[in-house]
Amino acid sequence: MGLFDDLSRFLENRLEEFLRSNPHLELEALLEQLREQEEDTLKLIADLQVQEKRSQEEILSTAQEIQRWHIRIQKAKNASREDLAAAAGEREAALLREGNQRWGQMQGLKERIQQSQELLQKIQQRRQEVQAKAAEAQTARAKAQTQQRFETVGWSNQTSSYSSSFDDLEDKFRSWETQDELEQMKRNLQK
């Protein structure tokens, strides 16, 4: 397993180095990660909302059962059937405990939904910030590439101006060298 861990660490380090040397790709990777987090959070909110709806339906059903047993308690008391009234009272108390427990679960779901929605807003805000940075980086990169092209074009233009001035210099040297050779020939002839 040590070899795989070492390889994994090596690859992670290489990836980090590559992303550091290519910041626009790092921003793209961060944007993708934020998109995935946003998608996961939206799924979580949807799941929690389904659970909340189910919980509300269970609470409503329990409340109807409590009401039914409450009516039965009254009927049993009116008929002087204390044995049935006591058993119905125990059933009603058990249903009340169950209802309270479900109510607490539903409140927990509501809190989780609220927290997930806050998280979603933070993720979306962060994503907008990263998108703005990515746009700035892309603009800067495009500007740098344009500047580099201008410098390259400027270099080639300067080369041509240098080559034309080089041609002038070449002509001057040839003329001077020719003059020098003529002078040398004249001196040699006079000897």
Side-chain angles (χ1 to χ4, degrees):
M1 294 305 287
L3 178 64
F4 289 115
D5 291 339
D6 290 344
L7 180 62
S8 177
R9 253 182 272 123
F10 171 76
L11 291 175
E12 285 174 15
N13 290 338
R14 295 295 296 157
L15 178 62
E16 286 174 13
E17 288 174 22
F18 177 76
L19 290 176
R20 275 194 301 273
S21 63
N22 296 292
H24 63 285
L25 294 178
E26 186 173 17
L27 289 173
E28 289 295 323
L30 184 56
L31 271 175
E32 183 59 32
Q33 188 179 27
L34 288 169
R35 276 188 214 107
E36 289 173 6
Q37 287 178 354
E38 184 177 4
E39 192 176 298
D40 291 346
T41 305
L42 285 169
K43 286 178 185 176
L44 176 63
I45 290 171
D47 288 346
L48 290 171
Q49 286 173 335
V50 166
Q51 290 177 30
E52 180 189 24
K53 185 162 180 64
R54 191 176 311 126
S55 181
Q56 288 171 345
E57 290 169 356
E58 289 172 353
I59 289 170
L60 183 60
S61 174
T62 303
Q64 290 170 344
E65 278 293 301
I66 291 169
Q67 188 177 25
R68 192 165 66 103
W69 283 102
H70 188 72
I71 292 170
R72 286 182 170 174
I73 292 170
Q74 293 304 318
K75 279 185 184 180
K77 283 183 180 179
N78 290 342
S80 298
R81 293 287 311 263
E82 292 302 318
D83 60 326
L84 288 177
E90 288 174 17
R91 175 69 61 91
E92 181 185 35
L95 287 169
L96 281 169
R97 285 191 299 276
E98 183 181 325
N100 285 335
Q101 188 178 22
R102 288 186 176 171
W103 184 265
Q105 289 172 347
M106 185 185 70
Q107 293 303 330
L109 287 170
K110 286 185 180 203
E111 286 177 24
R112 286 184 63 198
I113 289 170
Q114 178 66 32
Q115 290 169 351
S116 298
Q117 288 172 336
E118 289 170 6
L119 176 63
L120 178 63
Q121 288 175 346
K122 288 177 184 176
I123 290 170
Q124 289 171 337
Q125 181 181 1
R126 180 74 176 127
R127 187 169 151 207
Q128 288 173 350
E129 291 169 2
V130 172
Q131 282 176 328
K133 282 184 181 181
E136 286 175 19
Q138 186 173 4
T139 303
R141 216 170 61 247
K143 196 175 193 180
Q145 287 174 346
T146 303
Q147 181 66 30
Q148 188 177 16
R149 277 192 222 115
F150 283 143
E151 288 172 0
T152 304
V153 169
W155 178 257
S156 65
N157 286 346
Q158 289 174 356
T159 303
S160 65
S161 69
Y162 283 136
S163 82
S164 67
S165 64
F166 180 75
D167 290 343
D168 292 342
L169 184 61
E170 179 74 24
D171 290 343
K172 287 179 184 176
F173 262 94
R174 282 186 185 168
S175 172
W176 175 72
E177 289 169 346
T178 306
Q179 278 294 332
D180 189 44
E181 284 180 32
L182 279 173
E183 292 293 323
Q184 187 70 28
M185 286 164 89
K186 280 182 188 178
R187 276 187 236 129
N188 286 340
L189 283 177
Q190 290 176 353
K191 288 184 184 175

